[in-house]
C-alpha cells in the first residue's frame, strides 16, 4: 500500500442503505490503515469519496445532486472519487456527465483505493463487471455507527431476481461469507464494545444457499449468540421463501436474537407476487406470519410496493385490507419506480405515477393508525430501552426498544440521570405517538452525557 508523504485527509459521503454504509466503512478503514486522516466534512478533505446508491431512480437523482454539489464547491487540488452501486450500474453515463471526477471505482476496487489515490492522473474507468469479491474480516473497517451497535454483512449479491430489482446486476451473484470469517469479525466488533450486531445482506435468509444449497442463517445465529459480549442479534432483509423451521425455532428460543424480524413482502396479491417473481404466494406468507406471530413479543417489519404495472384498484384494496389486519409493528411503502433493465419495466399496464404515490400514502396512513394504537398500548407500562445517544439540545436520551432497528424504526425519548449510552434501561412510558414514545427512567447510570460507554469510532 502507498502511504502519502504528508498524511492527507479523506471524507466519505455515504448514500443509500446500511449495506452501502458497510462499504463506506471499509473505504475509511483501508485509507486509515494506509495513513490517511479522516475528515468530518468535504471542506476539510483532500479527497472526497461519494459512495453512491443506484437502486431506484430517486437514489440515482440524489447521487447526481450530491456529486454536482461536491464538484461545485470543490477546493483547489481537491480530488473527487465516485464509488458504489451507481458506478456499477451506469459508469459510462457518469463519466459523460461528470468528466471532472478523478476516479470512478467499482465495489471490487475498494481494497485498491490507497494505490489508486497514490498514483498520478485519473482512473479513466472501464466497463465494470458485476462484483465477484467479498469484504472479509481482514479488510480494515472503521465503524461509523454509535459504538454499541454495528452492521454485520454476512453475504453480498443476490440470486433472487425479483422482477422490479436491479440489485443482482449491480452487486452480482449471491456470495456468502464463511462462518469462520463472520465469527472473526463479530469477535473483533465485540472486543470493541459492540453489544448489538445487525445482520445484513441483500437476502439474509439466503445465507449459505451458494455454499451448501440450504439456508445456514439459523446455525450462524447460534454461533454468533455465543460470541462473548454480544447481547442482541437483529436480522434485517429476510425473504419469505427462504425461512426454515430451524430459523423459526431459533427466533423463538434464542435469548440473544431479538424478537424482531424485517420481512419485506412487497405485495399480498397472488397475481402480483407471481409477476414480481417473489416465489411465495399469499397462503405461504400467511402461514409464515402465523408462525412468527406465535412467538411472544415478535415485532415484524415489512415493506410494500404500490403501483406495479398492472396493479388494479382491487389488488391494491386487497393489500390495504391485509395491512388493516394489523400483522406489522412497522411498515415501509415505496411507490413503484420503473428501473430500465428490469423485467417489471417492460410489463404492460403502467399505473400513473400519481396513483402509485397516492396508494403508497393511503397504505402508510392505514399503518400509521395501527402503529399509534400499538405505541399507545405501551403508555403506563415499563419498556426496556437501549440508549443510543444523548440529545443535548432537548436534554433527553434517544434510544429504542428491542422492537426497533436503529435509524429505521421508532425512537424512544428518555428522561433520566446520567444514563449509560449503549446500555439497556427500564423506562416508564408516559406518552406515545405513531413513531415515537416518551419515557422516564429512574435508573442511576454512571455514564457521561457526551460520551457514555462504548460510543465513538473504532477500527477493526
Ligand atoms: S431479494 Fe429481490 S428485491 Fe431483494 S435484492 Fe434480491 S432481487 Fe432485489
Amino acid at each position: 500500500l502507498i502511504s502519502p508523504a504528508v498524511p492527507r485527509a479523506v471524507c466519505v459521503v455515504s448514500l443509500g442503505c446500511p449495506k452501502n454504509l458497510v462499504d463506506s466503512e471499509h473505504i475509511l478503514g483501508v485509507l486509515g490503515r494506509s495513513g490517511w486522516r479522516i475528515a468530518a466534512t468535504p471542506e476539510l478533505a483532500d479527497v472526497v469519496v461519494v459512495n453512491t446508491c443506484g437502486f431506484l431512480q430517486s437514489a440515482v437523482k440524489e447521487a447526481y445532486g450530491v456529486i454536482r454539489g461536491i464538484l461545485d464547491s470543490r477546493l483547489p487540488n481537491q480530488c473527487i472519487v465516485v464509488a458504489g452501486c451507481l458506478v456499477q450500474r451506469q459508469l459510462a453515463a457518469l463519466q459523460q456527465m461528470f468528466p471532472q471526477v478523478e476516479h470512478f471505482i467499482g465495489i471490487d476496487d475498494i481494497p485498491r483505493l490507497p494505490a489508486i489515490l497514490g498514483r498520478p492522473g485519473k482512473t479513466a474507468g472501464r466497463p465494470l463487471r458485476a462484483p465477484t469479491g467479498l469484504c472479509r474480516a481482514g479488510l480494515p473497517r472503521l465503524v461509523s455507527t454509535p459504538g454499541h451497535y454495528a452492521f454485520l454483512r454476512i453475504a453480498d449479491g443476490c440470486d433472487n431476481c425479483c422482477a422490479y430489482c436491479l440489485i443482482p446486476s449491480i452487486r452480482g451473484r449471491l456470495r456468502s461469507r464463511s462462518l469462520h470469517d463472520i465469527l472473526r469479525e463479530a469477535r473483533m466488533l465485540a472486543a470493541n464494545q459492540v453489544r448489538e450486531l445487525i445482520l445484513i445482506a441483500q437476502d439474509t435468509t439466503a445465507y449459505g444457499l451458494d455454499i451448501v444449497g440450504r439456508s445456514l442463517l439459523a446455525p450462524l445465529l447460534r454461533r454468533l449468540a455465543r460470541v462473548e459480549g454480544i447481547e442482541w442479534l437483529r436480522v434485517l432483509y429476510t425473504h419469505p421463501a427462504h425461512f426454515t423451521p430451524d430459523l423459526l425455532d431459533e427466533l423463538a428460543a434464542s435469548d440473544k436474537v431479538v424478537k424482531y424480524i424485517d420481512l419485506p413482502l412487497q405485495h399480498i396479491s397472488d397475481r402480483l407476487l407471481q409477476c414480481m417473481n417473489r416465489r411465495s404466494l399469499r397462503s405461504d406468507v400467511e402461514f409464515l406470519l402465523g408462525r412468527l406471530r406465535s412467538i411472544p413479543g415478535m415485532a415484524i417489519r415489512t415493506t410494500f410496493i404500490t403501483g406495479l404495472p398492472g396493479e388494479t384498484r382491487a389488488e391494491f384494496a386487497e393489500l390495504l385490507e391485509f395491512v388493516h389486519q394489523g400483522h406489522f409493528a412497522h411498515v415501509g411503502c415505496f411507490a413503484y419506480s420503473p428501473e430500465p433493465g428490469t423485467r417489471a419495466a417492460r410489463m404492460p399496464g403502467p399505473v400513473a405515477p400519481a396513483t402509485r404515490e397516492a396508494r403508497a400514502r393511503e397504505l402508510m396512513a392505514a399503518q400509521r393508525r395501527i402503529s399509534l394504537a400499538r405505541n399507545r398500548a405501551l403508555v403506563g407500562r415499563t419498556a426496556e430501552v437501549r440508549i443510543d445517544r444523548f440529545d443535548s439540545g432537548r436534554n433527553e436520551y434517544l434510544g429504542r426498544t428491542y422492537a426497533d432497528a436503529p435509524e429505521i424504526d421508532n425512537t424512544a425519548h428518555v428522561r433520566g440521570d446520567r444514563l449509560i449510552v449503549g446500555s439497556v434501561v427500564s423506562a416508564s412510558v408516559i406518552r406515545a405517538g405513531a413513531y415515537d414514545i416518551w419515557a422516564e427512567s429512574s435508573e442511576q447510570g454512571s455514564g457521561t452525557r457526551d460520551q457514555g460507554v462504548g460510543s465513538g469510532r473504532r477500527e477493526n
Side-chain angles (χ1 to χ4, degrees), residues 64-93:
Y64 289 165
V66 170
I67 298 167
R68 208 167 280 124
I70 299 273
L71 286 170
D72 287 349
S73 57
R74 82 191 293 179
L75 304 171
N77 300 322
Q78 197 175 46
C79 167
I80 310 297
V81 180
V82 176
C85 290
L86 188 57
V87 179
Q88 297 289 153
R89 179 175 175 175
Q90 44 171 246
L91 172 65

PDB file of all heavy atoms in Angstrom, residues 64-93:
ATOM      1  N   TYR A  64     -26.721  12.121  -8.272  1.00  0.00           N
ATOM      2  CA  TYR A  64     -26.325  13.177  -9.222  1.00  0.00           C
ATOM      3  C   TYR A  64     -26.214  14.514  -8.492  1.00  0.00           C
ATOM      4  O   TYR A  64     -25.260  15.264  -8.676  1.00  0.00           O
ATOM      5  CB  TYR A  64     -27.367  13.344 -10.335  1.00  0.00           C
ATOM      6  CG  TYR A  64     -27.438  12.223 -11.348  1.00  0.00           C
ATOM      7  CD1 TYR A  64     -28.540  12.116 -12.197  1.00  0.00           C
ATOM      8  CD2 TYR A  64     -26.415  11.287 -11.471  1.00  0.00           C
ATOM      9  CE1 TYR A  64     -28.621  11.099 -13.144  1.00  0.00           C
ATOM     10  CE2 TYR A  64     -26.499  10.266 -12.402  1.00  0.00           C
ATOM     11  CZ  TYR A  64     -27.600  10.177 -13.243  1.00  0.00           C
ATOM     12  OH  TYR A  64     -27.689   9.174 -14.166  1.00  0.00           O
ATOM     13  N   GLY A  65     -27.220  14.803  -7.650  1.00  0.00           N
ATOM     14  CA  GLY A  65     -27.239  16.090  -6.941  1.00  0.00           C
ATOM     15  C   GLY A  65     -26.045  16.227  -5.993  1.00  0.00           C
ATOM     16  O   GLY A  65     -25.426  17.283  -5.917  1.00  0.00           O
ATOM     17  N   VAL A  66     -25.736  15.144  -5.291  1.00  0.00           N
ATOM     18  CA  VAL A  66     -24.628  15.208  -4.333  1.00  0.00           C
ATOM     19  C   VAL A  66     -23.302  15.381  -5.080  1.00  0.00           C
ATOM     20  O   VAL A  66     -22.465  16.212  -4.702  1.00  0.00           O
ATOM     21  CB  VAL A  66     -24.611  13.941  -3.441  1.00  0.00           C
ATOM     22  CG1 VAL A  66     -23.339  13.871  -2.616  1.00  0.00           C
ATOM     23  CG2 VAL A  66     -25.832  13.930  -2.525  1.00  0.00           C
ATOM     24  N   ILE A  67     -23.104  14.620  -6.160  1.00  0.00           N
ATOM     25  CA  ILE A  67     -21.837  14.737  -6.913  1.00  0.00           C
ATOM     26  C   ILE A  67     -21.705  16.161  -7.464  1.00  0.00           C
ATOM     27  O   ILE A  67     -20.649  16.791  -7.368  1.00  0.00           O
ATOM     28  CB  ILE A  67     -21.782  13.709  -8.072  1.00  0.00           C
ATOM     29  CG1 ILE A  67     -21.832  12.278  -7.517  1.00  0.00           C
ATOM     30  CG2 ILE A  67     -20.522  13.911  -8.922  1.00  0.00           C
ATOM     31  CD1 ILE A  67     -22.089  11.209  -8.573  1.00  0.00           C
ATOM     32  N   ARG A  68     -22.824  16.668  -8.007  1.00  0.00           N
ATOM     33  CA  ARG A  68     -22.793  18.025  -8.570  1.00  0.00           C
ATOM     34  C   ARG A  68     -22.425  19.035  -7.480  1.00  0.00           C
ATOM     35  O   ARG A  68     -21.584  19.914  -7.676  1.00  0.00           O
ATOM     36  CB  ARG A  68     -24.170  18.357  -9.163  1.00  0.00           C
ATOM     37  CG  ARG A  68     -24.133  19.337 -10.297  1.00  0.00           C
ATOM     38  CD  ARG A  68     -25.451  19.397 -11.053  1.00  0.00           C
ATOM     39  NE  ARG A  68     -25.637  18.323 -12.001  1.00  0.00           N
ATOM     40  CZ  ARG A  68     -26.666  17.474 -12.027  1.00  0.00           C
ATOM     41  NH1 ARG A  68     -27.623  17.570 -11.126  1.00  0.00           N
ATOM     42  NH2 ARG A  68     -26.746  16.536 -12.931  1.00  0.00           N
ATOM     43  N   GLY A  69     -23.046  18.911  -6.312  1.00  0.00           N
ATOM     44  CA  GLY A  69     -22.789  19.834  -5.197  1.00  0.00           C
ATOM     45  C   GLY A  69     -21.328  19.777  -4.762  1.00  0.00           C
ATOM     46  O   GLY A  69     -20.704  20.807  -4.507  1.00  0.00           O
ATOM     47  N   ILE A  70     -20.777  18.562  -4.680  1.00  0.00           N
ATOM     48  CA  ILE A  70     -19.371  18.413  -4.256  1.00  0.00           C
ATOM     49  C   ILE A  70     -18.452  19.037  -5.307  1.00  0.00           C
ATOM     50  O   ILE A  70     -17.479  19.724  -4.975  1.00  0.00           O
ATOM     51  CB  ILE A  70     -19.035  16.900  -4.089  1.00  0.00           C
ATOM     52  CG1 ILE A  70     -19.907  16.265  -3.017  1.00  0.00           C
ATOM     53  CG2 ILE A  70     -17.538  16.686  -3.866  1.00  0.00           C
ATOM     54  CD1 ILE A  70     -19.411  16.349  -1.626  1.00  0.00           C
ATOM     55  N   LEU A  71     -18.774  18.831  -6.592  1.00  0.00           N
ATOM     56  CA  LEU A  71     -17.932  19.398  -7.654  1.00  0.00           C
ATOM     57  C   LEU A  71     -18.020  20.927  -7.655  1.00  0.00           C
ATOM     58  O   LEU A  71     -17.017  21.613  -7.832  1.00  0.00           O
ATOM     59  CB  LEU A  71     -18.345  18.847  -9.020  1.00  0.00           C
ATOM     60  CG  LEU A  71     -17.937  17.397  -9.298  1.00  0.00           C
ATOM     61  CD1 LEU A  71     -18.613  16.873 -10.563  1.00  0.00           C
ATOM     62  CD2 LEU A  71     -16.413  17.271  -9.437  1.00  0.00           C
ATOM     63  N   ASP A  72     -19.240  21.456  -7.423  1.00  0.00           N
ATOM     64  CA  ASP A  72     -19.411  22.913  -7.442  1.00  0.00           C
ATOM     65  C   ASP A  72     -18.624  23.589  -6.329  1.00  0.00           C
ATOM     66  O   ASP A  72     -18.197  24.732  -6.465  1.00  0.00           O
ATOM     67  CB  ASP A  72     -20.898  23.280  -7.299  1.00  0.00           C
ATOM     68  CG  ASP A  72     -21.662  22.977  -8.577  1.00  0.00           C
ATOM     69  OD1 ASP A  72     -21.002  22.692  -9.604  1.00  0.00           O
ATOM     70  OD2 ASP A  72     -22.910  22.991  -8.549  1.00  0.00           O
ATOM     71  N   SER A  73     -18.491  22.897  -5.193  1.00  0.00           N
ATOM     72  CA  SER A  73     -17.828  23.564  -4.060  1.00  0.00           C
ATOM     73  C   SER A  73     -16.439  22.974  -3.798  1.00  0.00           C
ATOM     74  O   SER A  73     -15.893  23.154  -2.718  1.00  0.00           O
ATOM     75  CB  SER A  73     -18.696  23.417  -2.802  1.00  0.00           C
ATOM     76  OG  SER A  73     -18.926  22.051  -2.544  1.00  0.00           O
ATOM     77  N   ARG A  74     -15.893  22.272  -4.787  1.00  0.00           N
ATOM     78  CA  ARG A  74     -14.602  21.630  -4.540  1.00  0.00           C
ATOM     79  C   ARG A  74     -13.505  22.665  -4.329  1.00  0.00           C
ATOM     80  O   ARG A  74     -13.520  23.750  -4.921  1.00  0.00           O
ATOM     81  CB  ARG A  74     -14.232  20.679  -5.678  1.00  0.00           C
ATOM     82  CG  ARG A  74     -13.605  21.339  -6.877  1.00  0.00           C
ATOM     83  CD  ARG A  74     -13.517  20.406  -8.054  1.00  0.00           C
ATOM     84  NE  ARG A  74     -12.594  19.315  -7.840  1.00  0.00           N
ATOM     85  CZ  ARG A  74     -12.366  18.357  -8.751  1.00  0.00           C
ATOM     86  NH1 ARG A  74     -13.007  18.364  -9.910  1.00  0.00           N
ATOM     87  NH2 ARG A  74     -11.526  17.417  -8.527  1.00  0.00           N
ATOM     88  N   LEU A  75     -12.538  22.295  -3.493  1.00  0.00           N
ATOM     89  CA  LEU A  75     -11.406  23.171  -3.205  1.00  0.00           C
ATOM     90  C   LEU A  75     -10.351  22.982  -4.292  1.00  0.00           C
ATOM     91  O   LEU A  75     -10.333  21.942  -4.974  1.00  0.00           O
ATOM     92  CB  LEU A  75     -10.802  22.798  -1.855  1.00  0.00           C
ATOM     93  CG  LEU A  75     -11.763  22.818  -0.670  1.00  0.00           C
ATOM     94  CD1 LEU A  75     -11.098  22.224   0.562  1.00  0.00           C
ATOM     95  CD2 LEU A  75     -12.215  24.253  -0.390  1.00  0.00           C
ATOM     96  N   PRO A  76      -9.442  23.957  -4.462  1.00  0.00           N
ATOM     97  CA  PRO A  76      -8.366  23.764  -5.437  1.00  0.00           C
ATOM     98  C   PRO A  76      -7.585  22.497  -5.085  1.00  0.00           C
ATOM     99  O   PRO A  76      -7.313  22.240  -3.910  1.00  0.00           O
ATOM    100  CB  PRO A  76      -7.489  25.016  -5.257  1.00  0.00           C
ATOM    101  CG  PRO A  76      -8.343  26.001  -4.550  1.00  0.00           C
ATOM    102  CD  PRO A  76      -9.357  25.251  -3.769  1.00  0.00           C
ATOM    103  N   ASN A  77      -7.260  21.711  -6.073  1.00  0.00           N
ATOM    104  CA  ASN A  77      -6.484  20.467  -5.909  1.00  0.00           C
ATOM    105  C   ASN A  77      -7.226  19.358  -5.160  1.00  0.00           C
ATOM    106  O   ASN A  77      -6.632  18.346  -4.816  1.00  0.00           O
ATOM    107  CB  ASN A  77      -5.142  20.711  -5.210  1.00  0.00           C
ATOM    108  CG  ASN A  77      -4.283  21.673  -5.999  1.00  0.00           C
ATOM    109  OD1 ASN A  77      -4.281  21.623  -7.233  1.00  0.00           O
ATOM    110  ND2 ASN A  77      -3.598  22.563  -5.305  1.00  0.00           N
ATOM    111  N   GLN A  78      -8.488  19.586  -4.845  1.00  0.00           N
ATOM    112  CA  GLN A  78      -9.233  18.515  -4.171  1.00  0.00           C
ATOM    113  C   GLN A  78      -9.587  17.433  -5.191  1.00  0.00           C
ATOM    114  O   GLN A  78      -9.960  17.735  -6.329  1.00  0.00           O
ATOM    115  CB  GLN A  78     -10.513  19.080  -3.543  1.00  0.00           C
ATOM    116  CG  GLN A  78     -11.147  18.182  -2.504  1.00  0.00           C
ATOM    117  CD  GLN A  78     -12.339  18.859  -1.835  1.00  0.00           C
ATOM    118  OE1 GLN A  78     -13.191  19.453  -2.502  1.00  0.00           O
ATOM    119  NE2 GLN A  78     -12.393  18.773  -0.509  1.00  0.00           N
ATOM    120  N   CYS A  79      -9.438  16.193  -4.771  1.00  0.00           N
ATOM    121  CA  CYS A  79      -9.672  15.061  -5.674  1.00  0.00           C
ATOM    122  C   CYS A  79     -11.036  14.445  -5.355  1.00  0.00           C
ATOM    123  O   CYS A  79     -11.382  14.256  -4.187  1.00  0.00           O
ATOM    124  CB  CYS A  79      -8.543  14.046  -5.441  1.00  0.00           C
ATOM    125  SG  CYS A  79      -8.832  12.445  -6.155  1.00  0.00           S
ATOM    126  N   ILE A  80     -11.803  14.145  -6.389  1.00  0.00           N
ATOM    127  CA  ILE A  80     -13.152  13.587  -6.182  1.00  0.00           C
ATOM    128  C   ILE A  80     -13.186  12.151  -6.713  1.00  0.00           C
ATOM    129  O   ILE A  80     -12.778  11.881  -7.852  1.00  0.00           O
ATOM    130  CB  ILE A  80     -14.227  14.436  -6.904  1.00  0.00           C
ATOM    131  CG1 ILE A  80     -14.080  15.927  -6.572  1.00  0.00           C
ATOM    132  CG2 ILE A  80     -15.632  13.914  -6.584  1.00  0.00           C
ATOM    133  CD1 ILE A  80     -14.276  16.305  -5.135  1.00  0.00           C
ATOM    134  N   VAL A  81     -13.704  11.268  -5.876  1.00  0.00           N
ATOM    135  CA  VAL A  81     -13.851   9.861  -6.244  1.00  0.00           C
ATOM    136  C   VAL A  81     -15.334   9.521  -6.173  1.00  0.00           C
ATOM    137  O   VAL A  81     -16.004   9.877  -5.208  1.00  0.00           O
ATOM    138  CB  VAL A  81     -13.073   8.948  -5.270  1.00  0.00           C
ATOM    139  CG1 VAL A  81     -13.230   7.481  -5.664  1.00  0.00           C
ATOM    140  CG2 VAL A  81     -11.603   9.335  -5.205  1.00  0.00           C
ATOM    141  N   VAL A  82     -15.850   8.841  -7.181  1.00  0.00           N
ATOM    142  CA  VAL A  82     -17.228   8.348  -7.121  1.00  0.00           C
ATOM    143  C   VAL A  82     -17.164   6.826  -7.106  1.00  0.00           C
ATOM    144  O   VAL A  82     -16.495   6.206  -7.943  1.00  0.00           O
ATOM    145  CB  VAL A  82     -18.071   8.872  -8.298  1.00  0.00           C
ATOM    146  CG1 VAL A  82     -19.473   8.270  -8.264  1.00  0.00           C
ATOM    147  CG2 VAL A  82     -18.165  10.392  -8.243  1.00  0.00           C
ATOM    148  N   ALA A  83     -17.831   6.241  -6.111  1.00  0.00           N
ATOM    149  CA  ALA A  83     -17.763   4.798  -5.901  1.00  0.00           C
ATOM    150  C   ALA A  83     -19.178   4.241  -5.767  1.00  0.00           C
ATOM    151  O   ALA A  83     -20.157   4.974  -5.764  1.00  0.00           O
ATOM    152  CB  ALA A  83     -16.967   4.515  -4.622  1.00  0.00           C
ATOM    153  N   GLY A  84     -19.283   2.917  -5.694  1.00  0.00           N
ATOM    154  CA  GLY A  84     -20.527   2.293  -5.257  1.00  0.00           C
ATOM    155  C   GLY A  84     -21.458   1.811  -6.352  1.00  0.00           C
ATOM    156  O   GLY A  84     -21.099   1.674  -7.526  1.00  0.00           O
ATOM    157  N   CYS A  85     -22.703   1.585  -5.946  1.00  0.00           N
ATOM    158  CA  CYS A  85     -23.681   0.890  -6.794  1.00  0.00           C
ATOM    159  C   CYS A  85     -23.971   1.633  -8.099  1.00  0.00           C
ATOM    160  O   CYS A  85     -24.176   1.007  -9.140  1.00  0.00           O
ATOM    161  CB  CYS A  85     -24.983   0.687  -6.032  1.00  0.00           C
ATOM    162  SG  CYS A  85     -24.849  -0.506  -4.696  1.00  0.00           S
ATOM    163  N   LEU A  86     -24.020   2.977  -8.039  1.00  0.00           N
ATOM    164  CA  LEU A  86     -24.350   3.710  -9.266  1.00  0.00           C
ATOM    165  C   LEU A  86     -23.236   3.579 -10.297  1.00  0.00           C
ATOM    166  O   LEU A  86     -23.497   3.540 -11.502  1.00  0.00           O
ATOM    167  CB  LEU A  86     -24.620   5.182  -8.940  1.00  0.00           C
ATOM    168  CG  LEU A  86     -25.170   6.021 -10.088  1.00  0.00           C
ATOM    169  CD1 LEU A  86     -26.467   5.419 -10.632  1.00  0.00           C
ATOM    170  CD2 LEU A  86     -25.421   7.453  -9.643  1.00  0.00           C
ATOM    171  N   VAL A  87     -21.990   3.477  -9.843  1.00  0.00           N
ATOM    172  CA  VAL A  87     -20.868   3.261 -10.767  1.00  0.00           C
ATOM    173  C   VAL A  87     -21.012   1.888 -11.420  1.00  0.00           C
ATOM    174  O   VAL A  87     -20.780   1.724 -12.620  1.00  0.00           O
ATOM    175  CB  VAL A  87     -19.526   3.385 -10.019  1.00  0.00           C
ATOM    176  CG1 VAL A  87     -18.354   3.141 -10.960  1.00  0.00           C
ATOM    177  CG2 VAL A  87     -19.388   4.762  -9.384  1.00  0.00           C
ATOM    178  N   GLN A  88     -21.430   0.902 -10.624  1.00  0.00           N
ATOM    179  CA  GLN A  88     -21.672  -0.438 -11.198  1.00  0.00           C
ATOM    180  C   GLN A  88     -22.799  -0.392 -12.220  1.00  0.00           C
ATOM    181  O   GLN A  88     -22.773  -1.079 -13.228  1.00  0.00           O
ATOM    182  CB  GLN A  88     -22.061  -1.426 -10.095  1.00  0.00           C
ATOM    183  CG  GLN A  88     -21.022  -1.688  -9.046  1.00  0.00           C
ATOM    184  CD  GLN A  88     -19.836  -2.496  -9.542  1.00  0.00           C
ATOM    185  OE1 GLN A  88     -18.761  -2.369  -8.999  1.00  0.00           O
ATOM    186  NE2 GLN A  88     -20.017  -3.318 -10.555  1.00  0.00           N
ATOM    187  N   ARG A  89     -23.786   0.474 -11.937  1.00  0.00           N
ATOM    188  CA  ARG A  89     -24.985   0.486 -12.782  1.00  0.00           C
ATOM    189  C   ARG A  89     -24.770   1.247 -14.081  1.00  0.00           C
ATOM    190  O   ARG A  89     -25.245   0.830 -15.126  1.00  0.00           O
ATOM    191  CB  ARG A  89     -26.153   1.099 -11.986  1.00  0.00           C
ATOM    192  CG  ARG A  89     -27.438   1.173 -12.768  1.00  0.00           C
ATOM    193  CD  ARG A  89     -28.618   1.667 -11.953  1.00  0.00           C
ATOM    194  NE  ARG A  89     -29.780   1.812 -12.821  1.00  0.00           N
ATOM    195  CZ  ARG A  89     -30.992   2.127 -12.423  1.00  0.00           C
ATOM    196  NH1 ARG A  89     -31.224   2.320 -11.147  1.00  0.00           N
ATOM    197  NH2 ARG A  89     -31.977   2.243 -13.291  1.00  0.00           N
ATOM    198  N   GLN A  90     -24.098   2.404 -14.015  1.00  0.00           N
ATOM    199  CA  GLN A  90     -24.029   3.230 -15.228  1.00  0.00           C
ATOM    200  C   GLN A  90     -22.739   4.048 -15.285  1.00  0.00           C
ATOM    201  O   GLN A  90     -22.786   5.278 -15.275  1.00  0.00           O
ATOM    202  CB  GLN A  90     -25.260   4.137 -15.345  1.00  0.00           C
ATOM    203  CG  GLN A  90     -25.671   4.826 -14.051  1.00  0.00           C
ATOM    204  CD  GLN A  90     -26.739   5.862 -14.302  1.00  0.00           C
ATOM    205  OE1 GLN A  90     -26.488   7.035 -14.119  1.00  0.00           O
ATOM    206  NE2 GLN A  90     -27.914   5.458 -14.718  1.00  0.00           N
ATOM    207  N   LEU A  91     -21.637   3.353 -15.375  1.00  0.00           N
ATOM    208  CA  LEU A  91     -20.334   4.015 -15.409  1.00  0.00           C
ATOM    209  C   LEU A  91     -20.224   5.000 -16.576  1.00  0.00           C
ATOM    210  O   LEU A  91     -19.821   6.150 -16.400  1.00  0.00           O
ATOM    211  CB  LEU A  91     -19.216   2.967 -15.492  1.00  0.00           C
ATOM    212  CG  LEU A  91     -17.812   3.513 -15.716  1.00  0.00           C
ATOM    213  CD1 LEU A  91     -17.354   4.342 -14.532  1.00  0.00           C
ATOM    214  CD2 LEU A  91     -16.820   2.388 -15.986  1.00  0.00           C
ATOM    215  N   ALA A  92     -20.598   4.541 -17.776  1.00  0.00           N
ATOM    216  CA  ALA A  92     -20.400   5.387 -18.959  1.00  0.00           C
ATOM    217  C   ALA A  92     -21.178   6.695 -18.837  1.00  0.00           C
ATOM    218  O   ALA A  92     -20.656   7.783 -19.132  1.00  0.00           O
ATOM    219  CB  ALA A  92     -20.808   4.634 -20.223  1.00  0.00           C
ATOM    220  N   ALA A  93     -22.416   6.617 -18.367  1.00  0.00           N
ATOM    221  CA  ALA A  93     -23.236   7.827 -18.220  1.00  0.00           C
ATOM    222  C   ALA A  93     -22.615   8.775 -17.199  1.00  0.00           C
ATOM    223  O   ALA A  93     -22.582   9.994 -17.390  1.00  0.00           O
ATOM    224  CB  ALA A  93     -24.652   7.440 -17.803  1.00  0.00           C
TER     225      ALA A  93
END
